[in-house]
Amino acid sequence: MAGQYPAPDGAASPSAPPSTLVVIPAFGSPELTDAVLGDLARDGSDRRPDIRIVVVDNGGDYVVPVAGSRVEVHRPGRNLRWIGSANWALHTAVADGTDVCVVLNNDIRLSRGFLDALTAPFAEDEKIAVVAACYDDFWLHQRARSIPETAYAYLPRTELRDVPFCDGTAVAFAAPAVVELGALDTVAFPRHGYGSDIDLALRVRVAGLRSVVTEGAYVSHLRRATMNRTGQTSEGNRAEILDGMDGKWGPEWRAEVGLSPDAFPAHNTGSGSSWYLSAPYFE
């Protein structure tokens, strides 16, 4: 599906952009958060009145590096982890009357013109509920066709992929629609929130809405940078996914999102073609 995306220099798309709340959950590693904010500032996103940027400081020690910056810091007083930070963002966006909520890991780097490209699909179809950037990481169906040396070097494509689910590394939500669906399920996924993105995608589909990946936006991901600080393990994350999804959707949930029975083996480090009912290679 073709869409209107910004030119590589970050120029805004022709249609009016949605009002957007950008939330970056952080727990230590301030240099990572600073780098993400630097990428947003590079594109002028921190100066636009239609964009609000908030660091959710789960460690309680983050200081915005530029005096007088419009970037806000929210200190919840405890570690909300990813799922709690994302739900705070969703409910805050709705309370403020904001159209789109964007949640970004702090251990990523962003392509040029990132926010406009990530949020542009919402103007194409009101049934789009979740949009993710393509990336260099875990899920084959979300990987870029060609992995650039740096996120800055990424060349955007005017194409959307309908996908069974989007992971939470760099994701945008149509905030009112997702909150109406119940936001992210902290009961079924009580730790970090691994698996809650798949659960949400199933609820999105049941509601007749869409999850898409845009090739207009790209992130490179420093995997495990946050996990290592918070004591998470790959096996613990795997258990959260399987316990939550099995308990909520039963044993058939893999097939419902296009995954094979081989998905999520022990000691996995990334998806492979055997994880999918149909391998999602993009040429």
Side-chain angles (χ1 to χ4, degrees):
M1 177 183 296
Q4 296 296 322
Y5 294 104
D9 64 1
S13 58
S15 57
S19 57
T20 302
L21 170 64
V22 180
V23 165
I24 305 169
F27 187 88
S29 301
E31 71 283 358
L32 299 180
T33 305
D34 292 349
V36 178
L37 292 175
D39 288 345
L40 294 170
R42 175 198 63 207
D43 295 336
S45 299
D46 61 332
R47 299 187 296 276
R48 286 171 45 179
D50 56 313
I51 296 174
R52 178 186 177 193
I53 301 175
V54 181
V55 175
V56 174
D57 180 17
N58 288 307
D61 56 0
Y62 182 71
V63 178
V64 177
V66 180
S69 170
R70 290 182 62 243
V71 174
E72 304 171 38
V73 177
H74 171 64
R75 295 186 174 89
R78 60 189 178 91
N79 188 359
L80 299 179
R81 298 183 180 269
W82 180 84
I83 190 169
S85 301
N87 274 348
W88 179 87
L90 284 162
H91 290 289
T92 298
V94 169
D96 290 346
T98 301
D99 301 319
V100 173
C101 169
V102 173
V103 180
L104 304 176
N105 279 19
N106 75 334
D107 55 355
I108 59 176
R109 298 303 302 270
L110 312 179
S111 58
R112 291 170 286 169
F114 179 82
L115 277 186
D116 280 333
L118 185 67
T119 60
F122 293 110
E124 292 194 20
D125 184 357
E126 63 183 8
K127 289 189 176 297
I128 292 177
V130 184
V131 181
C134 61
Y135 65 7
D136 57 355
D137 203 1
F138 194 94
W139 289 108
L140 293 183
H141 67 267
Q142 204 163 315
R143 286 179 66 88
R145 297 169 187 260
S146 177
I147 304 300
E149 185 175 348
T150 65
Y152 184 83
Y154 178 75
L155 298 177
R157 296 169 54 100
T158 55
E159 186 166 334
L160 300 181
R161 311 171 189 171
D162 278 279
V163 293
F165 59 91
C166 301
D167 90 3
T169 303
V171 65
F173 304 99
V178 171
V179 169
E180 186 174 349
L181 290 175
L184 297 163
D185 189 342
T186 57
V187 175
F189 308 94
R191 296 176 60 246
H192 185 76
Y194 282 96
S196 63
D197 41 14
I198 304 175
D199 165 63
L200 175 62
L202 282 173
R203 288 184 280 130
V204 162
R205 186 191 307 170
V206 169
L209 303 175
R210 297 170 63 194
S211 298
V212 302
V213 167
T214 175
E215 295 187 24
Y218 171 85
V219 298
S220 58
H221 187 201
L222 306 173
R223 291 177 61 186
R224 295 192 62 88
T226 301
M227 286 174 57
N228 290 340
R229 288 190 59 87
T230 57
Q232 300 171 60
T233 66
S234 295
E235 288 307 292
N237 298 338
R238 172 178 174 269
E240 183 175 23
I241 295 168
L242 298 182
D243 290 348
M245 291 301 297
D246 288 349
K248 189 167 184 179
W249 294 94
E252 302 304 318
W253 67 266
R254 286 178 176 82
E256 293 295 322
V257 292
L259 297 178
S260 77
D262 295 327
F264 297 105
H267 310 299
N268 59 282
T269 58
S271 66
S273 59
S274 66
W275 285 43
Y276 293 88
L277 296 178
S278 298
Y281 293 124
F282 301 96
E283 301 177 348

